Amino acid sequence: MQVLHMVGGMGETSYANNSLLQRKVILMTKPIMEAAVTALFSTAATTFPASLAIADLGCSTGPNTLFAVSEIISIMINLCKATKHELPEFQVFLNDLPGNDFNTIFSSFLPRFQEKLSEQMKSKNGVSTTLPCFFSGVPGSFYGRLFPRESLHLIHSSYSLMWLSQVPQGLEGNRGNIYMARSSPPKVLRAYYEQFQRDFSTFLECRGQELVVGGRMILTLLGRRSDDPSSKECCYIWELLAIALNEMVSEGLIEEEKLDSFNIPQYTPSPKEVRREVQKHGSFSIDCLEVSEVNWSVFDSDFDPNVVSEDGGYSMARCMRAVAEPLLVDHFGEEIIDEVFKRYRAQLADRMSKEKTAFVNVVISLKKIA
């Protein structure tokens, strides 16, 4: 799945310029992050490490890449100041698949981040202080080992773990769909779930080896409340893209066989499914497991059918394009992409004008216990 990466660079359709929704989700989880960092600090207070190793898994490329890390470091600065502890050095690892645009992270976003961090230190201390903060890019799949044994203190991942390591086997018969849908045969739903179980179990096994005992892990996934994996709350966004693609099949713009062989490598678990895998693994205790919602239209807090954001469909289509375009280009070719997203935008705008549309987030905070 090396093709699975967000649209790179700084262009109009790049992830960097179309990831406001993901930023909002990170902000929503700040209290959980704060609790995890505070717990880590209090646990290690007597023997606090001189260097704190933090990994952000599935960091992508854009202003969000360093946003969670920035929050974590800010929390640590405040805690050390309040308890008169000396600040540790920070070792930050940014991980994503090799296709991720790491060059833009290190050439554009990191210098700005370091500048902002220096300003923050100056405002807190009254003098210019350089915070020892060392960054490394770690290309590779988090469904395998990435770091030495017991080398990390804190792991963060947001909106990455719902992506599977591969498209599940056995999806024949899912005709006209590109993901799990209400019309999908039971064997398709089962294939997706079993792939999630394998992948999440592997993820926990690898992170269990890489975290120190007492280390923390904060994970945010797209998920669902329902026990039904084909429920509208998690599948609707892809069903609307399937409608746009099916329209193009009916007009002869896409081959039917091409559509039937395209499937999204994603699984949006319920809190129950996440809890089950963690408990089965046994290396982590659960500090917190929460479910939240974020509207498709990130600018709206409440749905009002009488007040329709004119660019809601446009913004959401651009957000999804930044995520899905590499997968679509790899399978269908580049020629159809603009037309696909033009039709997808119309579908999104229509639905968003008629009903409340939201993503469900599953957030879990874990402590390494064995």
Side-chain angles (χ1 to χ4, degrees), residues 240-251:
L240 296 178
L241 179 56
I243 290 170
L245 290 166
N246 275 293
E247 277 180 2
M248 294 177 71
V249 167
S250 67
E251 294 171 26

Side-chain angles (χ1 to χ4, degrees), residues 308-354:
V308 179
S309 171
E310 285 184 19
D311 73 339
Y314 175 70
S315 298
M316 195 62 216
R318 277 184 31 156
C319 175
M320 290 301 293
R321 180 168 183 166
V323 171
E325 182 175 319
L327 288 170
L328 289 160
V329 168
D330 183 65
H331 191 82
F332 296 104
E334 208 160 339
E335 305 74 29
I336 66 156
I337 296 301
D338 287 341
E339 183 61 26
V340 168
F341 283 99
K342 178 182 160 190
R343 293 171 186 242
Y344 190 32
R345 174 187 170 185
Q347 290 291 337
L348 289 164
D350 179 59
R351 290 297 94 207
M352 290 167 74
S353 70
K354 292 174 180 172

Side-chain angles (χ1 to χ4, degrees), residues 80-283:
C80 286
K81 190 172 183 182
T83 55
K84 295 184 167 52
H85 265 79
E86 190 177 339
L87 264 176
E89 293 186 341
F90 293 95
Q91 198 173 6
V92 179
F93 299 101
L94 302 173
N95 155 261
D96 213 314
L97 290 172
N100 186 51
D101 187 0
F102 284 98
N103 285 340
T104 297
I105 294 175
F106 286 92
S107 63
S108 297
F109 293 105
L110 187 55
R112 283 183 235 164
F113 169 81
Q114 289 168 322
E115 195 179 310
K116 190 178 167 189
L117 199 58
S118 294
E119 288 170 10
Q120 186 182 346
M121 289 294 289
K122 188 176 180 180
S123 70
K124 286 187 184 295
N125 300 319
V127 291
S128 290
T129 314
T130 303
L131 183 68
C133 201
F134 306 95
F135 288 84
S136 303
V138 182
S141 169
F142 49 52
Y143 293 124
R145 284 286 301 278
L146 292 165
F147 307 100
R149 190 177 292 275
E150 296 191 4
S151 62
L152 299 176
H153 299 95
L154 186 68
I155 293 172
H156 173 269
S157 181
S158 184
Y159 267 33
S160 297
L161 267 166
M162 65 275 183
W163 292 107
L164 301 171
S165 64
Q166 63 178 57
V167 174
Q169 300 294 310
L171 300 187
E172 300 78 21
N174 201 27
R175 293 172 64 82
N177 299 314
I178 62 171
Y179 186 54
M180 294 179 291
R182 285 160 289 188
S183 60
S184 297
K187 71 164 193 167
V188 167
L189 307 184
R190 191 164 56 250
Y192 267 102
Y193 176 54
E194 287 172 357
Q195 185 66 50
F196 164 75
Q197 284 182 301
R198 283 191 294 273
D199 285 345
F200 196 49
S201 171
T202 300
F203 177 87
L204 292 172
E205 177 62 31
C206 294
R207 305 298 81 81
Q209 293 179 49
E210 294 163 352
L211 269 172
V212 299
V213 173
R216 258 58 182 195
M217 184 156 64
I218 307 118
L219 312 173
T220 304
L221 304 80
L222 264 179
R224 65 181 197 275
R225 285 192 171 89
S226 170
D227 286 337
D228 177 9
S230 65
S231 68
K232 189 175 178 179
E233 65 182 353
C234 57
C235 300
Y236 200 31
I237 194 78
W238 297 119
E239 283 183 28
L240 296 178
L241 179 56
I243 290 170
L245 290 166
N246 275 293
E247 277 180 2
M248 294 177 71
V249 167
S250 67
E251 294 171 26
L253 300 173
I254 293 175
E255 293 174 19
E256 189 173 6
E257 296 76 20
K258 205 78 171 149
L259 176 60
D260 288 339
S261 61
F262 179 69
N263 292 283
I264 300 291
Q266 189 181 90
Y267 186 82
T268 42
S270 67
K272 200 184 294 182
E273 289 170 340
V274 172
R275 182 187 294 276
R276 189 182 300 136
E277 293 307 313
V278 171
Q279 290 174 337
K280 199 192 301 179
H281 185 262
S283 290

